[in-house]
Amino acid sequence: MNQLHISVKNKSVIIQEFKVALSEENINLKTLRELCFNGIPFEGGIRALFVTKYYDILVNIHPLFVFVFSKREVYSQFLKEMIIQPGIAKANLGLSREDVTLEDHPLNPNPDSRWNTYFRDNEILLQIDKDVRRLYPDMAFFQRPTDYPCQLILDPQNDYETLRRRVEQTTLKAQTVNRNRSGVTNVSSPGKALNLYPSNEYEVLPNGSEAHWEVVERILFIYAKLNPGIAYVQGMNEIVGPIYYTFATDPNSQWKEHAEADTFFCFTNLMSENRDNFIKSLDDSQCGITYKMESVYSMLKEKDLELYLKLEEQNIKPQYFTFRWLTLLLSQEFLLPDVIRIWDTLFSDLDRFHFLIVVCLSVKVSLQTPPPAPHIIPAV
C-alpha cells in the first residue's frame, strides 16, 4: 500500500490546499473529493477537522460544520438518558423496591418490561465489552488511559451503576448456562467463557480514569440503544475504531476532548449507508451482503478469468474472504494507518461501495499474483 501515500506534492502545499478548501463558505465538493482521494495528510492538525466534515459532507448527511457543537450537547443528553439515569434507578433498588411490583419484576416475560429491557441491554453490553477489549490488539493505544475521560460519566456526585460496574457485576456474580447444538447444557463462569479478562493488560483502570476501549464501548452501547432494529453486531467495533483513533490522536486538544461525541455521530452517519451489511434478513436482497460478495466474483470473472476459474476449481467461495472485507471496510486487513489512508480514497468516491468492490478485487488479484523474479546481474 506504499504507493497510496502522499508523495507527489510537498506536504505543506497539500495541507494548505485542504485548509483553503475547508475554509470556503460554500465548500466545493468536487475539489474536496479530489484532495481526499489522494490522501489526507496526518500532519498539520487538520485530519480531525476534515473527518467531521468528511462524513457529514462526503457522506451527504449534514453539510454545515456548525452542527458539530450542537451535536456534542445532544450526545451528552444521550449519556444522561441511556446510561446515567437507568444506572441511578438500578442503584436505588438497594434502598427502594419500587421497581419490583406485581406488574413488573425480574421474571416478567413481557418484552416491554423494564427488567426485560435491562437484561437485554446487558447481553448486548457483554458482547460489546468482549469485542472492544481486543480492539486492534497489535497496538497499545486502546488499552491506554484517555487524557480526557468523560467527566459526566465519572462525576463522583453521581452514585449510579456505570457500564463498567454492570459488566463487572454480571461477570463476577452471575453464571451463564451454555447450550450446544445437541441440547446439552453446562454452567460456567461468564468471565471465563467470554474471555473478558484474558490478561492484566486488559483489566480496567482505576476509578477516575478510563481506557480508550471503554470510550468506544460507550459509543457502541448508545448506538445500540438508539437503533434497536440492528442494535450491535460483532464487527461494528472494527469500524468505529479508526474513526475514534483519528479524533483521539489529533494534535488539537479540542478535538481530543470531544472525540467521543464526534466519533459517535461520524460512526452513525457511516452506518446509515453500511448498516444493510449487518442485517441478516437482508443478506439475500439486492442491497444485502450476499449480492455484494457475488459482485466481487462476477467482476473477477470479467477481469481475470484465469484466477476466477482457479478459485472455482478449488471451491473457494466468495464468502470465505469477501464477507469480512466488505462488511468491515477492509479494517482488519491492513495496519491502522493504512486503513485510514484507504478510507480517504474510498469515501471520496461518489459510488463508494462499488469502489470498495473494485478495491477488494484488486486485493484478491494482488494476493494471487506471484512477485516478480529478482533481476540477477551476471558476474563479469
Side-chain angles (χ1 to χ4, degrees):
M1 301 307 298
N2 289 336
Q3 65 271 23
L4 288 176
H5 291 293
I6 300 167
S7 59
V8 178
K9 292 183 181 179
N10 183 281
K11 286 185 179 179
S12 61
V13 174
I14 297 174
I15 291 172
Q16 185 59 32
E17 288 178 346
F18 270 100
K19 288 182 176 179
V20 170
L22 291 169
S23 64
E24 296 289 340
E25 184 175 349
N26 296 315
I27 294 178
N28 187 319
L29 291 181
K30 184 175 182 296
T31 300
L32 196 59
R33 290 182 191 280
E34 289 174 353
L35 288 171
C36 179
F37 191 89
N38 293 318
I40 308 168
F42 286 89
E43 299 82 3
I46 65 169
R47 174 164 283 275
L49 169 64
F50 182 76
V51 166
T52 304
K53 292 192 173 185
Y54 170 81
Y55 288 99
D56 280 356
I57 295 175
L58 298 185
V59 186
N60 300 316
I61 305 298
H62 295 297
L64 298 179
F65 180 59
V66 69
F67 282 118
V68 170
F69 303 101
S70 61
K71 285 178 179 178
R72 291 170 179 171
E73 292 300 321
V74 171
Y75 185 75
S76 295
Q77 193 61 34
F78 288 160
L79 294 178
K80 294 174 184 176
E81 293 178 2
M82 298 176 201
I83 295 181
I84 296 178
Q85 290 174 5
I88 292 174
K90 180 64 166 57
N92 287 340
L93 287 179
L95 303 174
S96 170
R97 308 304 293 178
E98 294 176 357
D99 281 4
V100 182
T101 65
L102 291 176
E103 293 78 22
D104 196 6
H105 51 81
L107 300 180
N108 186 353
N110 187 340
D112 296 327
S113 161
R114 282 195 294 174
W115 281 94
N116 211 321
T117 299
Y118 179 83
F119 293 139
R120 283 200 310 269
D121 288 349
N122 261 11
E123 291 178 6
I124 294 172
L125 177 59
L126 285 177
Q127 183 60 58
I128 294 173
D129 189 84
K130 176 184 176 182
D131 292 343
V132 296
R133 286 174 183 268
R134 60 190 184 192
L135 187 60
Y136 285 94
D138 56 335
M139 58 188 297
F141 169 79
F142 288 97
Q143 311 306 323
R144 292 173 179 163
T146 171
D147 294 332
Y148 298 95
C150 182
Q151 297 305 316
L152 188 63
I153 292 292
L154 299 178
D155 186 352
Q157 300 298 319
N158 290 335
D159 184 16
Y160 74 103
E161 184 185 53
T162 61
L163 294 187
R164 179 190 292 187
R165 196 174 302 171
R166 284 178 71 163
V167 171
E168 289 174 347
Q169 289 179 347
T170 304
T171 56
L172 295 178
K173 295 181 181 179
Q175 287 185 321
T176 184
V177 176
N178 296 327
R179 180 185 298 271
N180 62 26
R181 288 186 174 183
S182 57
V184 179
T185 60
N186 62 79
V187 179
S188 62
S189 165
K192 181 178 180 180
L194 297 175
N195 196 27
L196 288 172
Y197 304 102
S199 70
N200 291 335
E201 180 184 1
Y202 294 92
E203 290 180 357
V204 294
L205 298 171
N207 291 332
S209 61
E210 55 184 1
H212 289 290
W213 66 260
E214 292 186 85
V215 181
V216 175
E217 176 175 88
R218 202 157 49 234
I219 293 169
L220 290 169
F221 182 76
I222 293 294
Y223 178 83
K225 290 286 290 179
L226 289 172
N227 298 272
I230 183 173
Y232 172 77
V233 180
Q234 192 170 20
M236 289 182 180
N237 58 309
E238 303 291 347
I239 295 178
V240 75
I243 303 174
Y244 175 75
Y245 177 84
T246 297
F247 283 115
T249 59
D250 193 82
N252 189 324
S253 61
Q254 293 185 6
W255 290 110
K256 287 183 180 180
E257 183 177 359
H258 299 285
E260 180 175 349
D262 294 343
T263 298
F264 172 81
F265 285 104
C266 286
F267 172 70
T268 300
N269 291 347
L270 178 55
M271 286 301 297
S272 69
E273 289 197 353
N274 193 43
R275 62 181 291 163
D276 289 352
N277 289 343
F278 291 90
I279 300 177
K280 188 174 180 59
S281 60
L282 296 178
D283 280 357
D284 297 322
S285 69
Q286 194 166 354
C287 62
I289 187 64
T290 301
Y291 177 83
K292 295 173 184 175
M293 289 189 296
E294 291 173 351
S295 297
V296 175
Y297 259 37
S298 296
M299 190 178 296
L300 177 62
K301 184 177 181 180
E302 177 186 344
K303 302 296 183 182
D304 193 333
L305 181 59
E306 182 181 354
L307 176 57
Y308 171 81
L309 293 175
K310 182 179 179 181
L311 296 177
E312 285 285 296
E313 180 185 351
Q314 296 175 349
N315 198 29
I316 298 177
K317 305 297 184 182
Q319 57 264 35
Y320 293 167
F321 55 93
T322 55
F323 179 84
R324 188 174 74 177
W325 292 2
L326 293 169
T327 304
L328 305 185
L329 309 179
L330 295 169
S331 61
Q332 284 194 323
E333 313 313 315
F334 302 93
L335 296 176
L336 186 54
D338 288 329
V339 171
I340 295 172
R341 172 60 191 91
I342 292 170
W343 284 13
D344 288 347
T345 300
L346 179 63
F347 291 112
S348 68
D349 194 277
L350 286 170
D351 195 1
R352 59 187 64 85
F353 291 105
H354 175 74
F355 186 74
L356 175 62
I357 291 174
V358 175
V359 174
C360 290
L361 176 63
S362 300
V363 171
K364 186 59 182 173
V365 171
S366 66
L367 289 175
Q368 299 296 324
T369 304
H375 179 65
I376 301 175
I377 302 176
V380 178

